[in-house]
Each structure stands twice: as structure tokens, then as C-alpha cells.
Amino acid sequence: MDSKILNFFAFNSASYEVKKDKWNDVNLEIYYQKGHEFNLDRMFKGIKASLDYSSKNFSPYQHKQVRIIEFPRTGGSFAQSFPNTIPFSEEVGFIADVDDSDEGGVDYPFAITVHELAHQWFAHQVIGADVLGATMMSESMSEYVSLKVLEKEYGKGKMRKFLKKALDGYLMQRTLERKRENALMYNDGQGYIHYQKGSMVLYAMSDYLGEENFNNAIKKYVNKVKFQDAPYTTSIDMVNHIKEVTPDSLQYLIKDMFETITLYRNRVVDVKSTELDNGKYQVDIDFEVSKYRNDEKGKRYYGTQVGDTLSYKTEKMKNPVLSVKLEDYIDIGIFGEEEVDGKKKETELYLQKHKITKIDNKVTIIVDKKPVEVGVDPYNKLIDTQSEDNRRKL
Ligand SMILES: [Zn+2]
């Protein structure tokens, strides 16, 4: 190596074919087994997209080359980022049969490549101290970069697919926790927290604060701590940088997303659409917003002092809905449909954050075109225990 690196490296040896490419002055090389050419272009695209995103938003790439090196699946089904070198299992990239159709799966050779490249910043430039929460700066940040690159590639409308996958993964895996679940910034290194929850939290923060504003906070943090010696940085420092660019009205997000385990239970209760004389549509939506917190053993609570808890009950309901006090901003969306090449495609007619202070809510929104579906947090940006009822078809 021609510059200082983390003491963390790998040896790979085999009879390889090499495919080469360039990104600016950086040499890109993929070492692969003959016959495994299927996804090399997807991987090069991932390398370039990731280098682009992180070098534009955070700091320059620190090496003269990027190498991806194939290893057989008998060695595992993962990829891992060492300084400028990424051993990559054939199973998670090289021999994947990617379904590019609309309903198809995620292009994971691309997505994983983006994630691994992002580690050149988040693990190799920003090196966290070996304490609770450190993986938020490595795994959560790399997964955040992966989501943002996917968003650029597929459009915001497609993000629900990825976010819902992360959400469902988090919700399922946390039920298997045997020790304790900590808040994200104090996580114990569990994958479901630093990958699934972490990526959702950082994606949501970037959405609330604005991508540029959020990334500038991370940029300032990266440039403060990159390549530092002991004492190494901790998640407290990173969260402080985010706090600094978070307006007063959104400071509750820091508490909900980083400092505590907070879960929403948002749902559409009823929706009605009326065509108006001027050809527009009036949409009336009834929806509920509530959230609770979990302690590290999974015990539910709705606040820590008197006046913290909201309650809502109708005559029909056996038990009231409870919630931590709300001063939250939540996406309300209305969607239409159009036909492109004989296929029905969802279009966004309305998407705005509404300030919510109670559990039961009604809004009336006028849209230009015929609505077919509405949603509260319709893209599943928030940690919500039941993602299916966030949307309702008309
Ligand atoms: Zn990783």
C-alpha cells in the first residue's frame, strides 16, 4: 500500500481472468473464474456509482485502484471490503441470475458492490472505536449509500420495495433476539439493527433533513475523523453532527431513531374520493398515527412521565389506542395510475409531510387526477410494526 491503512487485509490466490475498466484515474479490476462473466457489468456499474456518490458527497477516494476478487461459495456467501480490495463470493454476485422485471428481485450484485465500495469510506476512512454503536458508522452508512444509489438508479417510487424488505427483516429478526436490543447508536453489532434498521433510519433522516443537508453533516464528520488514530470516533460524535443540522421541529427524530427503540403503528382507517365539478377529485382520508417505545428486553412503554402518553378510544373499541405524545411529521400520499407500454404504473399525485399531534386524524386533499390508492407513510420510511395497512386502495 502507498498510504496508511487499517491493519486488515486478505490474501486470495487462484487462476483468474481479469476484466478492467477505469473510473477517473482509478484502475478498476474484477478477478473472476472463466465462465462467470454474467454480472461483471453490473458490478462495474456498482463500483462506479458508489465511487461517484461517496466521493461527491463525503470525501475523495483514497486509493489508486479497486479490485473485486471472486471466491467460491464453499468459502462463504458474503463480500468483504479490505483496503481497495474486495473478496466477493460467487454466490452473492458472480453467478446470480438477476430478474430485472418490475416485480422482480433486487439487482443484488449491483447493490452489494455499492455497499462494499462504500466501506472504503465507512470502515476504512471513518474507523469506529471498538464500543457499542460502532457498526452504525460502518454497516448502516454503507447500506445508506446503497439505498441512495438504488434510489438514483430506480427512482424514488421504487424505494418502497427496498425499504419494506429492510423493515420486514428488522421486525422479524428482532423477535429472535436472545440477549437485548439496544437503540441504533448503542447497538451491540446485531445485523438486523445495523443493516436493516440502520439503513432505514439514515434514509429517513436524509429524507426529513434533505439529502444535501444530511450528507453535508456526514461530510463534516468524515473530514473531522477520517484516518484518525486512537482515541477513535464513536456514534455519539456522528449523531451530534446530525443533531447540529436538525431543526428544532425535527429534534424528536434523533430521540426516536438513534437514542431509543421507537416503533410506529400507522394505518389508513378509511378513504373516500369524490369527483368535483371542475374535474378534480376530493380525497378524504381517515388515518391513525401512534408510536411506542421498547426497552432492551422488549417491554413496551408510551413515555416516561405524566403527560407523555396519548390515548384514543371510540365506543366500538374494546381497548384504547395509546401513543407516545406526538409532534411528528408524517408523509401522506395519494397515488394514481397510468399506462406505459401496456403496463399499469403508479404515479404520485400528492406527497407531503403533515404535522400530526393526535392519534386519529382526518385530512381532505384535492388532486388533479383520479386517485387509486392513498397512504400514511406510504413508502415505509418509518419503523412501523405493520407495513401492509399503511396503504388503502380506493
Ligand atoms: Zn458491510
Side-chain angles (χ1 to χ4, degrees), residues 115-116 119 139 195:
H115 173 102
E116 295 308 326
H119 274 311
E139 298 307 343
Y195 293 124

Side-chain angles (χ1 to χ4, degrees), residues 22 192 214 263 273 298 311 317 391 394:
K22 274 261 194 196
Y192 71 94
F214 176 80
L263 296 103
S273 155
S311 170
M317 291 158 63
R391 286 189 178 222
L394 277 142

Side-chain angles (χ1 to χ4, degrees), residues 15 143 175 195 312 343 360:
S15 175
E143 207 47 21
T175 65
Y195 293 124
Y312 168 67
K343 270 191 191 166
D360 62 311

